[in-house]
């Protein structure tokens, strides 16, 4: 037997002699049986980005590139999420070769009969020639048609039997979705759906953890669940209206909607003697009350760290909403006295939504204001306390505001 004890091996020279002999024998065996072993690693995994801590949007783009590597005619992949409370479909993520025809779009499922039929069947739908829908009267159908898409494949997304939304594959070429193509797209479709469901499930777990904590606050705070339902949807209205001006994507808008109800989570740390005081707070009590924004940020940081939520897309949106929703554009707010654009947009959005719902809601110490009176107050505060763009965005969508108020009315149970 050969003696390897004096063989110099740079990677193992500091190991004990016995370990050195074992490592050398292994390396020699690799060289003997796998010569040129670098060739074993020549293949590039086209979906390797899915293993990386990237935002969901980037992962979807990577998946789209992989699909196009096999089927170049797939020019668009998109996701629409379903809000079971309002039966509304909302665009969420997309990857396309050109302009996205349905950016910042939402519609009632009842206004999309062809999609409603997919859900009723529980099966995917193939349309190999969209001329079938050329006389469609719905806005989403017309937008897709104007963008030149000629064929589509639509998959419903379910998680645990619950409907989550739709996944769309679109092509500018007709008659491309053959059975052979569909058999491969099904695999990609379920992979993309799993990515979406995983992200949403993580968000759901995080929201559940935060809402459980926040719920304790609302057992002690006179604000109701209906307030949170309304103000979160007002926040979404504002974000959608500002999307073009601030270049906001649909995922950001959805996170503003999801995270806005957690704005006052820090109130759990405020003593009952201050939180539930029927009269006005004195200066010392006001200082303590104002700490709820910083305490909320600290609580969120702890939960994010302890549950490993740090890679969630737009997680800073949640942090900023909790910490900065009481900042004022003139610098008179708290906790940091930020001004104008120093205040994160999501915090400016939530501030307007929160103030408007507080004004139009009944409280033990005040009657509900009319919308007209509340809008007038918002205009008075705009440029001083509140962001002008956010105020105008809400006021210019009065019809949607009134619809939300009708759907999420106050009741004695909140």
């Amino acid at each position: 037997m050969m003696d390897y004890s004096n063989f110099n091996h740079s990677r193992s020279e500091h190991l004990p002699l016995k370990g050195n002999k074992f490592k050398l024998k292994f390396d020699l065996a690799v060289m003997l049986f796998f010569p040129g072993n670098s060739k074993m690693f020549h293949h590039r995994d086209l979906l390797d980005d899915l293993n990386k801590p990237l935002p969901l949007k980037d992962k979807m783009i990577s998946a789209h590139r992989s699909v196009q590597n096999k089927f170049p005619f797939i020019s668009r992949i998109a996701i629409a999420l379903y809000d079971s409370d309002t039966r509304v479909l909302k665009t969420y993520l997309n990857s396309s070769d050109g302009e996205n025809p349905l950016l910042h779009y939402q519609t009632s499922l009842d206004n999309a009969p062809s999609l409603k039929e997919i859900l009723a069947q529980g099966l995917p739908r193939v349309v190999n020639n969209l001329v079938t829908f050329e006389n469609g009267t719905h806005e989403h159908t017309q937008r897709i048609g104007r963008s030149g898409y000629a064929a589509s494949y639509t998959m419903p997304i379910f998680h645990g039997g619950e409907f989550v939304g739709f996944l769309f594959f679109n092509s500018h070429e007709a008659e491309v979705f053959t059975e052979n193509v569909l058999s491969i797209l099904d695999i990609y479709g379920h992979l993309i759906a799993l990515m979406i469901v995983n992200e949403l499930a993580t968000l759901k777990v995080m929201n559940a953890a935060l809402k459980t904590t926040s719920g304790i606050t609302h057992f002690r705070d006179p604000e109701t669940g209906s307030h949170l339902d309304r103000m979160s949807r007002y926040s979404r209205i504002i974000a959608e209206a500002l999307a073009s001006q601030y270049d906001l994507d649909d995922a950001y808008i959805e996170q503003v909607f999801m995270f806005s109800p957690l704005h006052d989570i820090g109130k759990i740390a405020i003593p009952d003697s201050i939180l539930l005081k029927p009269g006005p707070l004195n200066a010392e009590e006001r200082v303590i009350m104002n700490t709820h924004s910083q305490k909320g940020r600290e609580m969120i940081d702890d939960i994010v760290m302890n549950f490993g939520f740090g890679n969630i897309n737009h997680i800073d949106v949640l942090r900023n909403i909790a910490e900065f929703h009481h900042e004022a554009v003139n610098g008179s707010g708290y906790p940091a006295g930020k001004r104008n654009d120093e205040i994160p947009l999501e915090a400016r959005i939530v501030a307007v939504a929160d103030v408007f719902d507080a004004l139009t809601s009944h409280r033990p110490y005040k009657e509900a204001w009319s919308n007209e009176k509340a809008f007038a107050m918002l205009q008075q505060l705009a440029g001083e306390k509140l962001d002008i763009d956010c105020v105008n965005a809400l006021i210019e969508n009065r019809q949607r505001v009134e619809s939300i108020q009708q759907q999420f009315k106050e009741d004695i149970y909140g």
Side-chain angles (χ1 to χ4, degrees):
M1 175 178 286
M2 292 180 64
D3 183 5
Y4 300 101
S5 60
N6 295 319
F7 190 93
N8 182 22
H9 191 284
S10 60
R11 288 178 297 173
S12 53
E13 60 186 358
H14 300 297
L15 293 174
L17 186 58
K18 184 176 180 181
N20 242 336
K21 287 183 178 180
F22 177 82
K23 184 68 172 64
L24 288 168
K25 288 179 180 179
F26 179 80
D27 287 351
L28 286 172
V30 169
M31 287 187 287
L32 286 171
F33 292 102
F34 301 102
N37 59 17
S38 61
K39 293 180 180 179
M40 297 171 61
F41 304 98
H42 70 281
H43 175 69
R44 182 180 179 276
D45 179 1
L46 294 178
L47 293 173
D48 183 54
D49 283 347
L50 305 191
N51 295 320
K52 301 174 183 176
L54 297 174
L56 187 59
K57 170 77 171 181
D58 292 344
K59 291 185 177 182
M60 186 165 176
I61 292 172
S62 179
H64 189 185
R65 283 197 302 265
S66 180
V67 171
Q68 285 186 318
N69 189 61
K70 191 167 186 64
F71 305 123
F73 52 81
I74 302 295
S75 48
R76 176 176 179 263
I77 302 177
I79 297 287
L81 297 182
Y82 179 65
D83 183 345
S84 59
D85 290 335
T86 58
R87 291 182 59 79
V88 165
L89 284 170
K90 305 168 287 186
T91 53
Y92 183 55
L93 283 176
N94 82 94
S95 174
S96 61
D97 290 342
E99 182 180 351
N100 178 26
L102 290 175
L103 191 65
H104 315 316
Y105 181 76
Q106 63 176 302
T107 187
S108 168
L109 182 60
D110 296 324
N111 290 332
S114 63
L115 296 178
K116 191 175 180 181
E117 180 62 20
I118 295 173
L119 181 58
Q121 296 287 338
L123 298 170
R125 182 196 66 186
V126 180
V127 181
N128 261 320
N129 194 334
L130 283 172
V131 171
T132 307
F133 295 94
E134 66 179 358
N135 295 320
T137 59
H138 299 101
E139 183 181 351
H140 52 275
T141 304
Q142 294 173 349
R143 287 198 198 181
I144 289 290
R146 287 195 299 267
S147 296
Y149 292 110
S152 73
Y153 180 46
T154 307
M155 300 176 67
I157 303 173
F158 296 93
H159 179 55
E162 181 180 347
F163 176 55
V164 175
F166 291 107
L167 170 62
F168 305 92
F169 294 95
N170 294 113
S171 173
H172 286 107
E173 301 177 30
E175 308 299 338
V176 293
F177 292 113
T178 65
E179 284 302 315
N180 287 337
V181 170
L182 292 172
S183 65
I184 302 299
L185 285 185
D186 284 342
I187 297 172
Y188 278 104
H190 284 287
L191 174 64
I192 294 170
L194 284 172
M195 288 195 311
I196 301 297
V197 166
N198 182 62
E199 175 97 350
L200 294 176
T202 302
L203 287 170
K204 190 173 182 179
V205 170
M206 183 184 67
N207 271 8
L210 291 167
K211 283 183 178 179
T212 299
T213 306
S214 182
I216 299 171
T217 301
H218 291 287
F219 279 122
R220 303 163 60 228
D221 191 328
E223 289 183 346
T224 67
S226 297
H227 161 69
L228 300 179
D229 286 329
R230 288 190 302 269
M231 64 82 60
S232 62
R233 286 167 172 82
Y234 298 154
S235 296
R236 182 180 177 86
I237 288 174
I238 297 168
E240 287 177 339
L242 299 179
S244 296
Q245 181 179 348
Y246 288 89
D247 193 25
L248 309 179
D249 63 26
D250 288 318
Y252 172 89
I253 294 170
E254 186 68 14
Q255 304 303 359
V256 169
F257 164 69
M258 293 181 68
F259 293 149
S260 53
L262 303 171
H263 62 292
D264 274 339
I265 189 173
K267 283 186 177 179
I268 193 174
I270 304 302
D272 282 352
S273 60
I274 295 175
L275 185 67
L276 303 180
K277 185 176 180 179
L281 302 180
N282 60 37
E284 183 179 350
E285 292 168 334
R286 175 55 58 187
V287 169
I288 295 173
M289 175 63 84
N290 289 359
T291 63
H292 81 271
S293 59
Q294 185 60 41
K295 291 181 183 297
R297 166 63 186 262
E298 292 169 359
M299 291 170 60
I300 288 168
D301 284 344
D302 283 345
I303 291 175
V304 167
M305 180 180 67
N306 293 336
F307 284 84
F309 295 141
N311 289 329
I312 291 179
N313 199 21
H314 295 308
I315 191 65
D316 283 340
V317 171
L318 173 58
R319 293 185 173 106
N320 291 337
I321 286 173
E323 186 171 10
F324 300 123
H325 67 282
H326 282 295
E327 296 286 2
V329 295
N330 64 3
S332 64
Y334 63 88
K338 291 180 177 291
R339 294 175 174 269
N340 299 316
D341 291 346
E342 293 175 352
I343 308 170
L345 177 61
E346 52 269 21
R348 286 178 272 154
I349 289 171
V350 169
V352 171
D354 191 33
V355 168
F356 176 74
D357 195 69
L359 292 173
T360 54
S361 298
H362 172 78
R363 294 289 184 269
Y365 49 84
K366 64 173 279 295
E367 291 299 320
W369 289 21
S370 68
N371 285 347
E372 288 299 322
K373 185 178 178 182
F375 283 141
M377 176 57 74
L378 292 186
Q379 289 175 318
Q380 184 177 332
L381 295 173
E384 290 294 319
K385 300 289 187 180
L386 302 176
D387 181 270
I388 293 176
D389 292 338
C390 295
V391 168
N392 290 337
L394 189 67
I395 292 175
E396 290 167 3
N397 284 277
R398 297 185 186 210
Q399 187 174 353
R400 291 181 64 187
V401 167
E402 291 169 0
S403 176
I404 290 168
Q405 290 172 327
Q406 286 297 314
Q407 186 166 6
F408 298 99
K409 291 181 178 180
E410 292 290 347
D411 59 61
I412 59 173
Y413 303 106

